Amino acid sequence: MIKNYWNKGGKQKAIVVVLTLVIIGLLFFLRDDYQPALLFFRKYIFIILLSAVVLFFGLRKFRKSASTGTRLGILGLLVAFFGLLYVLGWHLQLYDYMKTYNVFNNLNRVEINELPLTQNERIQPLRNIFSMANESVGETKDVSLPHLVRVDGENKWTMAIQPTEKYVWQGMSDNTEEVFAVPSTTPFPRFSNENRIPVTFSIGESLKFSRNTYNAVVQRFNPWMLFNYEPSDTYYMKNDKGDWVEVVSLIKWKGFFFPYPTFGGVMIIENGEHDFNDYLERMAIGKGTFIAPDEMKNYPFLTRQNTLAEKVSRLQAESLKFLGGFSDPLPWNMETAVKIPVLPDDQNQQPFVTDFDFSEANKDAYSGLYHWFGLEPVGDERTSLTYSVFVPADGTEKLFYYDHASKKQGYAGVSAMPLKVIESRKEYDWSVNKPVEFRPYIKEIAGKKRMFFLGTISSIKKDNAQFDGSATPDLALIDSEYRDVVWIDAKHPSQWEKTVYNQLNEAWRASEGIGNYFQEDNTMLDTLNDLEDKVIEIDSTLTNSTNKDLTVEELKAQIDSIKNARKQSEVERLQRELDSLKALEN
């Protein structure tokens, strides 16, 4: 048809050329708009091709058949095929089942036999930070979703202060001009002064058209990446030069039969003003510098960092349900099948980004930020902790997991924590207060690594069901083994371990036969103080009785005596602790 129209004359040829150029231009400049369709085809390429082949041969057979009965039979078979495809693939979620199994088969799993310790505990949950940040901006500003990242060697919540999406004109004309960077270890998050950094981004999550982060990153993709990559979470952090940058995590889809998502690297967008050259670059080739996963080691600010999309880490953790075999998660088996628990009242679901110290647990793992999951049995009535999963937050191709179930530890999982907190404080109005975000707290206390869950009490605004953050939240530590709730002071994290010991030491002593720890330290200090007082009394007596000052050598001798007494007491304390540990091992 186009050929016949082309041969009619010069005018028709000109129209065809112009329309062709217009179509090519639209395909080039609007690729960020139709890229989701390309990605959909990539995700379901096997199902789409299978359906197309069956439909093609079915309709071909239908047209060649003269018999009405045969035609009806072919139509019935086609309807049955596509109906079965829908029921099995989507209703029973067997497509996702196979996709997760592909993730499991291509996952570098490492089982660890010792839990890592937590460090740099964050006080506030994510939604509290988000709520308090929104309280600190004006009507025409929004705050992006906070993310925990490493900035200048310290863990901080970072988020952009961006033009609000309620007013379209601001999204078209304004820039993102400030970034919040709030320390995560403080109970008093401040959203002013040094925590409010002036920095300009002409590309932002709430900006419109080509200045939108998603659109700018997709425009940067080459044709092959358009079919295989998609932008995900956006992080704000400092690069190796100390400049603030916008880091967009990328998801890469792999495989032909039941494609699955993996970490695809990052796109780095530098800060800067919007100008005409910037406009031409954004419209033509987008914005950002692509860093592949195998190249990230060359950028120190991206290592041990939080850049992994949570969509990827969730699927990796969920794939551990196949540890018992391909058929184990099926309804008639489920002997070792696990799930990621979902807490209805918690607005931030797993993973919880946590700082872990792997120096003793595994030499091949770095110490830093990880996505943590606490997997539990599939049944709703089962809330035991089956696996602790540690996914490196910087996208390193490894997954570390600790098998609580095989060690018969009998730990309670995240799902069991809210009711235990509620039961421990019946005087609370739990209709407007919710215990949320139970992240792990693992410390070596009283000669043993002990696992707790650190939960925060957050208030709910009834009008919009959003958390109302508090600068000094109520915190609770729940012993996963003994199920006891210990209420701790958010203002004094250094005293948490002693508070836990003071409440649980008698239970531990009765069950485990441990010795005294914190009390021994206090006793030793009291003894040394008494010794010093006695020396002073003796010195005073000698001075008063002889009316003669002590010589320098005599003073030194008394000081050495006190020091030797301290050392001897410390040696005795350490020897008692060693004997206690040996008794536990036996």
Side-chain angles (χ1 to χ4, degrees), residues 38-81:
L38 301 179
L39 202 59
F40 178 85
F41 179 80
R42 174 68 181 90
K43 293 178 183 179
Y44 302 100
I45 182 171
F46 171 67
I47 299 297
I48 292 173
L49 292 179
L50 177 63
S51 301
V53 170
V54 171
L55 187 62
F56 173 79
F57 285 104
L59 292 179
R60 183 181 180 185
K61 183 69 174 178
F62 177 84
R63 295 179 62 183
K64 289 184 177 181
S65 299
S67 171
T68 302
T70 303
R71 288 190 169 192
L72 291 176
I74 294 173
L75 288 178
L77 289 175
L78 289 176
V79 171
F81 171 79

Side-chain angles (χ1 to χ4, degrees), residues 415-472:
S415 297
M417 296 300 111
L419 287 180
K420 298 189 182 304
V421 173
I422 292 172
E423 193 275 335
S424 69
R425 288 287 174 93
K426 297 181 177 64
E427 67 273 17
Y428 272 54
D429 182 1
W430 293 110
S431 63
V432 293
N433 295 288
K434 304 294 182 182
V436 299
E437 201 169 308
F438 292 94
R439 53 261 190 212
Y441 180 83
I442 306 171
K443 296 293 181 180
E444 189 164 347
I445 305 176
K448 176 183 174 182
K449 280 188 178 179
R450 303 183 186 275
M451 184 169 187
F452 303 83
F453 288 106
L454 174 60
T456 307
I457 311 303
S458 293
S459 299
I460 289 282
K461 295 180 180 179
K462 292 184 177 180
D463 54 345
N464 60 5
Q466 291 293 321
F467 284 143
D468 185 13
S470 170
T472 54

Side-chain angles (χ1 to χ4, degrees), residues 151-202:
V151 179
D152 295 332
E154 182 181 3
N155 296 337
K156 292 187 178 183
W157 294 105
T158 62
M159 62 217 89
I161 306 175
Q162 56 194 10
T164 179
E165 295 184 1
K166 293 189 295 184
Y167 305 114
V168 178
W169 177 249
Q170 276 80 2
M172 297 171 57
S173 59
D174 294 349
N175 295 319
T176 296
E177 297 181 346
E178 289 180 298
V179 170
F180 278 134
V182 182
S184 64
T185 56
T186 176
F188 308 104
R190 296 169 57 243
F191 296 86
S192 59
N193 299 333
E194 68 275 6
N195 295 337
R196 191 163 179 160
I197 295 92
V199 57
T200 300
F201 288 99
S202 60

Side-chain angles (χ1 to χ4, degrees), residues 223-472:
W224 180 79
M225 296 177 71
L226 286 173
F227 281 90
N228 293 279
Y229 285 77
E230 64 174 307
S232 184
D233 304 327
T234 301
Y235 305 87
Y236 296 87
M237 61 187 69
K238 285 186 178 181
N239 62 14
D240 294 324
K241 297 179 180 179
D243 299 326
W244 283 91
V245 293
E246 191 175 346
V247 178
V248 183
S249 180
L250 302 179
I251 296 176
K252 180 182 179 181
W253 290 83
K254 291 184 177 181
F256 177 79
F257 298 101
F258 310 105
Y260 59 95
T262 62
F263 179 62
V266 297
M267 194 74 77
I268 300 176
I269 300 176
E270 297 180 355
N271 65 71
E273 293 283 351
H274 170 71
D275 55 24
F276 184 71
N277 292 332
D278 178 63
Y279 173 79
L280 293 179
E281 182 181 4
R282 285 188 289 103
M283 290 295 296
I285 58 174
K287 293 285 288 186
T289 302
F290 174 64
I291 307 296
D294 56 351
E295 298 175 353
M296 291 180 63
K297 62 180 181 293
N298 300 325
Y299 299 83
F301 80 99
L302 293 176
T303 59
R304 306 186 182 189
Q305 186 60 275
N306 182 19
T307 56
L308 177 64
E310 294 184 359
K311 179 179 179 180
V312 174
S313 63
R314 279 185 65 89
L315 200 58
Q316 291 178 348
E318 184 185 349
S319 71
L320 292 186
K321 65 185 179 182
F322 291 104
L323 282 172
F326 172 76
S327 62
D328 189 71
L330 294 175
W332 52 85
N333 287 330
M334 292 192 176
E335 293 183 4
T336 61
V338 289
K339 71 177 186 301
I340 300 174
V342 176
L343 302 184
D345 291 330
D346 205 331
Q347 295 181 4
N348 180 36
Q349 302 294 338
Q350 297 184 37
F352 299 141
V353 181
T354 309
D355 197 341
F356 289 98
D357 179 7
F358 269 87
S359 58
E360 297 182 1
N362 190 290
K363 295 182 179 179
D364 295 330
Y366 67 79
S367 295
L369 297 177
Y370 285 78
H371 290 189
W372 178 86
F373 296 86
L375 303 185
E376 301 176 7
V378 174
D380 294 335
E381 69 281 1
R382 298 289 181 264
T383 59
S384 63
L385 182 62
T386 305
Y387 297 108
S388 284
V389 181
F390 311 87
V391 183
D394 65 353
T396 303
E397 291 186 358
K398 280 186 179 181
L399 178 146
F400 302 92
Y401 69 96
Y402 183 89
D403 191 345
H404 298 276
S406 67
K407 294 177 174 57
K408 302 185 184 302
Q409 292 180 327
Y411 286 179
V414 173
S415 297
M417 296 300 111
L419 287 180
K420 298 189 182 304
V421 173
I422 292 172
E423 193 275 335
S424 69
R425 288 287 174 93
K426 297 181 177 64
E427 67 273 17
Y428 272 54
D429 182 1
W430 293 110
S431 63
V432 293
N433 295 288
K434 304 294 182 182
V436 299
E437 201 169 308
F438 292 94
R439 53 261 190 212
Y441 180 83
I442 306 171
K443 296 293 181 180
E444 189 164 347
I445 305 176
K448 176 183 174 182
K449 280 188 178 179
R450 303 183 186 275
M451 184 169 187
F452 303 83
F453 288 106
L454 174 60
T456 307
I457 311 303
S458 293
S459 299
I460 289 282
K461 295 180 180 179
K462 292 184 177 180
D463 54 345
N464 60 5
Q466 291 293 321
F467 284 143
D468 185 13
S470 170
T472 54

Side-chain angles (χ1 to χ4, degrees), residues 19-155:
L19 288 177
T20 301
L21 293 176
V22 169
I23 292 173
I24 293 175
L26 291 175
L27 290 175
F28 178 77
F29 290 107
L30 300 181
R31 56 191 182 277
D32 56 307
D33 294 314
Y34 63 80
Q35 195 258 352
L38 301 179
L39 202 59
F40 178 85
F41 179 80
R42 174 68 181 90
K43 293 178 183 179
Y44 302 100
I45 182 171
F46 171 67
I47 299 297
I48 292 173
L49 292 179
L50 177 63
S51 301
V53 170
V54 171
L55 187 62
F56 173 79
F57 285 104
L59 292 179
R60 183 181 180 185
K61 183 69 174 178
F62 177 84
R63 295 179 62 183
K64 289 184 177 181
S65 299
S67 171
T68 302
T70 303
R71 288 190 169 192
L72 291 176
I74 294 173
L75 288 178
L77 289 175
L78 289 176
V79 171
F81 171 79
F82 287 106
L84 184 65
L85 191 66
Y86 169 77
V87 171
L88 295 178
W90 274 260
H91 184 68
L92 297 179
Q93 298 183 336
L94 289 184
Y95 183 87
D96 289 337
Y97 188 91
M98 294 301 302
K99 178 178 68 177
T100 308
Y101 185 65
N102 278 344
V103 172
F104 178 80
N105 286 333
N106 293 275
L107 191 62
N108 185 6
R109 305 179 302 276
V110 179
E111 183 176 1
I112 56 177
N113 295 315
E114 187 176 353
L115 284 171
L117 299 176
T118 55
Q119 57 186 4
N120 303 317
E121 270 73 26
R122 55 187 176 92
I123 307 297
Q124 296 281 358
L126 182 146
R127 284 293 171 178
N128 276 19
I129 293 293
F130 187 56
S131 174
M132 288 185 282
N134 276 296
E135 295 169 355
S136 305
V137 298
E139 171 66 18
T140 61
K141 299 295 183 181
D142 278 341
V143 177
S144 64
L145 191 67
H147 289 286
L148 189 66
V149 300
R150 190 186 74 250
V151 179
D152 295 332
E154 182 181 3
N155 296 337

